[in-house]
Amino acid sequence: MNAVTQSVLDEIRRNVSEGTYMAYFSKINLAPNGTTLMIRVPNVFIETQMKGRCNAVLINALKASGVDYREVEFCMDSGEKKTVRRGPREVTAADDGGGTPNDKVLRVRGSDNGLNSKYRFDNYVVGGNNDLAVSAARAVVDKPGERYNPYFVYGGPGLGKTHLIQAIGNEILAKKPNTKVLYVTIEQFYHEFVEAMRKKLSGFTDKYRKVDVLIVDDFQFIVGKEKSQVEFFHTFNELHQKNKQIIISSDRLPSQIASVDERLASRLMMGMPIDIQMPDFEVRCAILKAKAEMAGFEIDDKSVEYIANNIKNNIRELEGKFNQLMALSELRGVSPAELIEGGYIEDTQMTRLKAITPRQVVEKTAKFYDIDPKVLYGTSRIKNVNLARQIAMYMLNEELNLSTVRIGGEFSKDHSTIMHGVKKIKEAMKLDFGLREQVSIIRGKLYE
């Protein structure tokens, strides 16, 4: 790393959180080229973030470090770039004899540890919706069994939980190939447990209790499986006492899962439960642009923004709509913009999302807090009413992309009041997990 790059990175590190630094800035390199400063990035994910939400931070760091160029351009670092071929099977450099030793270790070990090697940190788009979860995940990779144990991540379906928890396993293996990592869904755990009891098979306990890292997905499906809960409880205790890392994902907190044993629920909360929210508009655009880059598919910004604006509640649906657009474009031989203008990818979901009105947002919010919607439109300053009103303002701004002026018209309030309310909720959600959970539930109700 050259001195210029180090100076700029040091300046950035002083002004952003460690998680943000590691996610976006730690792998960039600066290469002066005449009057142009080339910023080399390892992948399209980082490039997109650099051009968007990180642009101001980067510019300020350059100025503070005395770096002044007429033009700044981004380029992919050829030393990091991987070839991606489309097809039913993931293709990596390891297929033709290339790649790093770690790539081969992951491929060989993938068949018996349950991990999918395509899930990595470097192809996981980080945003305000998941930056805390990613920061904690990186801490787990650095010191498995010591920090955030158990690592419990929760959030709605299709928000990238599986990608993130498997990425932890893959990163740990990349650093220490001999680590015993096991990824399973809770359904797999349950079925193997039942089969072992029914056929009196041995080896079940050893499989789950003699690992260094146990990753369990979709924990919410343990509901109603009492004996499996007891077995998992004892497995958890043994691993935790030996300082083995436990990683779990769920669509809700343990306390919100019906019939989960209180002892087990309390142990799962021993670390720091972290939620993942739906990504905001900019992150959704970054995800789509990254997928297009990896697929070698050309798509204009307006088409990306159209999909990002219309698919808000599920990343899988976002990617599914992109895949549909890509397939239709190749099949018909027309551009994405022409398909969108022609209404070829319009569907009932997009129509439903467009049909959501500001009044519906206010009514759903009011119902959640058991408040008459008319009260939210009023002037009451009671604490719970004021909170619900500000959340409704936030939802109108975030979900319907309404301007603060338009929202002010809805509530008969001035522009500055709306800005204050929206900003207050945004700031509070960064640290208040209870509030984030409430907003997530209201959002889910809105799109039911």
Side-chain angles (χ1 to χ4, degrees):
M1 182 180 296
N2 59 50
V4 174
T5 299
Q6 188 62 60
S7 174
V8 173
L9 291 181
D10 288 345
E11 179 65 26
I12 292 172
R13 199 163 198 163
R14 285 192 288 269
N15 292 283
V16 301
S17 68
E18 187 65 17
T20 298
Y21 176 82
M22 293 302 297
Y24 302 134
F25 299 103
S26 61
K27 295 181 181 179
I28 68 171
N29 203 350
L30 308 183
N33 183 16
T35 60
T36 301
L37 177 65
M38 303 297 295
I39 301 179
R40 299 187 179 278
V41 295
N43 53 57
V44 68
F45 297 89
I46 303 298
E47 179 183 8
T48 303
Q49 297 298 309
M50 286 289 143
K51 291 179 178 178
R53 70 196 299 256
C54 296
N55 190 50
V57 174
L58 185 60
I59 290 174
N60 291 336
L62 290 171
K63 289 180 179 178
S65 302
V67 180
D68 185 19
Y69 285 86
R70 292 180 184 177
E71 296 182 4
V72 175
E73 294 183 3
F74 292 88
C75 66
M76 302 291 288
D77 191 332
S78 59
E80 296 278 346
K81 196 170 184 178
K82 294 184 176 73
T83 299
V84 180
R85 306 170 193 160
R86 294 181 59 203
R89 181 175 63 92
E90 184 194 13
V91 181
T92 69
D95 290 303
D96 55 13
T100 66
N102 285 337
D103 290 330
K104 295 175 182 178
V105 169
L106 291 179
R107 182 168 294 281
V108 172
R109 294 178 64 85
S111 61
D112 58 8
N113 62 23
L115 293 171
N116 185 331
S117 61
K118 76 177 183 179
Y119 292 131
R120 307 182 305 275
F121 283 150
D122 65 2
N123 62 7
Y124 188 77
V125 177
V126 184
N129 64 305
N130 60 16
D131 54 354
L132 183 59
V134 174
S135 295
R138 290 184 180 278
V140 169
V141 171
D142 290 339
K143 295 182 178 180
E146 296 183 30
R147 299 188 63 187
Y148 306 111
N149 194 21
Y151 175 90
F152 188 99
V153 62
Y154 68 100
L159 296 185
K161 299 186 299 296
T162 295
H163 186 147
L164 183 58
I165 62 175
Q166 289 210 37
I168 296 173
N170 282 324
E171 293 290 337
I172 289 173
L173 280 175
K175 292 182 70 173
K176 297 181 179 180
N178 292 325
T179 304
K180 293 181 180 179
V181 178
L182 177 63
Y183 165 86
V184 295
T185 65
I186 200 66
E187 283 289 310
Q188 288 175 267
F189 180 90
Y190 164 72
H191 287 300
E192 289 184 19
F193 175 64
V194 171
E195 189 74 358
M197 285 199 305
R198 188 172 68 87
K199 296 183 177 180
K200 294 182 172 57
L201 300 175
S202 60
F204 175 85
T205 301
D206 287 348
K207 175 179 178 179
Y208 286 96
R209 300 188 190 182
K210 292 189 176 181
V211 297
D212 300 308
V213 180
L214 177 62
I215 306 174
V216 180
D217 208 353
D218 291 327
F219 183 77
Q220 70 273 8
F221 293 122
I222 202 169
V223 60
K225 302 175 174 65
E226 296 180 3
K227 290 185 178 180
S228 294
Q229 287 189 39
V230 172
E231 178 63 27
F232 188 80
F233 173 81
H234 292 304
T235 297
F236 180 99
N237 280 346
E238 183 162 331
L239 290 173
H240 197 268
Q241 287 172 6
K242 294 179 179 178
N243 294 321
K244 304 300 183 181
Q245 182 65 50
I246 303 162
I247 300 167
I248 299 174
S249 83
S250 175
D251 68 356
R252 71 203 79 167
L253 287 167
S255 59
Q256 298 171 331
I257 302 175
S259 72
V260 168
D261 183 87
E262 290 185 7
R263 297 177 304 164
L264 178 56
S266 66
R267 279 163 173 73
L268 294 176
M269 299 288 282
M270 287 167 58
M272 185 177 77
I274 305 172
D275 70 331
I276 294 180
Q277 297 284 318
M278 184 63 197
D280 59 24
F281 173 74
E282 288 79 8
V283 176
R284 295 197 298 272
C285 287
I287 291 171
L288 292 169
K289 288 180 179 179
K291 283 187 66 66
E293 177 76 19
M294 293 177 69
F297 179 67
E298 292 187 11
I299 183 170
D300 59 289
D301 288 344
K302 285 188 177 181
S303 297
V304 166
E305 291 171 5
Y306 175 83
I307 298 175
N309 263 323
N310 284 285
I311 306 292
K312 299 182 177 183
N313 207 40
N314 191 302
I315 294 176
R316 291 194 192 110
E317 293 174 4
L318 186 76
E319 295 178 338
K321 187 55 59 180
F322 169 81
N323 291 335
Q324 180 188 4
L325 180 64
M326 184 167 61
L328 283 172
S329 178
E330 294 178 347
L331 181 65
R332 297 177 180 273
V334 296
S335 70
E338 290 173 311
L339 286 171
I340 290 172
E341 289 173 5
Y344 286 100
I345 69 163
E346 189 75 31
D347 62 13
T348 55
Q349 182 197 15
M350 287 188 171
T351 302
R352 187 179 76 247
L353 295 182
K354 287 180 179 179
I356 294 175
T357 66
R359 181 166 290 276
Q360 287 174 318
V361 174
V362 174
E363 288 176 348
K364 291 287 186 182
T365 305
K367 184 177 180 180
F368 178 82
Y369 290 103
D370 196 23
I371 298 172
D372 187 331
K374 294 179 182 178
V375 176
L376 294 192
Y377 287 114
T379 58
S380 173
R381 304 299 297 174
I382 297 174
K383 187 175 181 179
N384 69 317
V385 173
N386 200 40
L387 174 65
R389 183 185 295 120
Q390 290 175 336
I391 288 176
M393 293 174 180
Y394 167 82
M395 296 290 285
L396 289 171
N397 179 252
E398 189 74 14
E399 301 302 314
L400 301 191
N401 296 320
L402 297 187
S403 67
T404 52
V405 174
R406 171 75 187 281
I407 299 170
E410 286 288 327
F411 287 93
S412 300
K413 298 186 182 298
D414 61 66
H415 167 74
S416 60
T417 299
I418 304 301
M419 285 187 64
H420 171 74
V422 172
K423 182 179 180 181
K424 185 175 181 180
I425 297 301
K426 283 184 177 180
E427 292 299 318
M429 286 175 61
K430 292 179 180 179
L431 298 174
D432 189 336
F433 296 112
L435 180 61
R436 290 175 71 170
E437 181 70 16
Q438 293 167 30
V439 172
S440 179
I441 293 172
I442 294 170
R443 182 183 285 116
K445 296 291 183 182
L446 185 62
Y447 292 113
E448 283 181 347

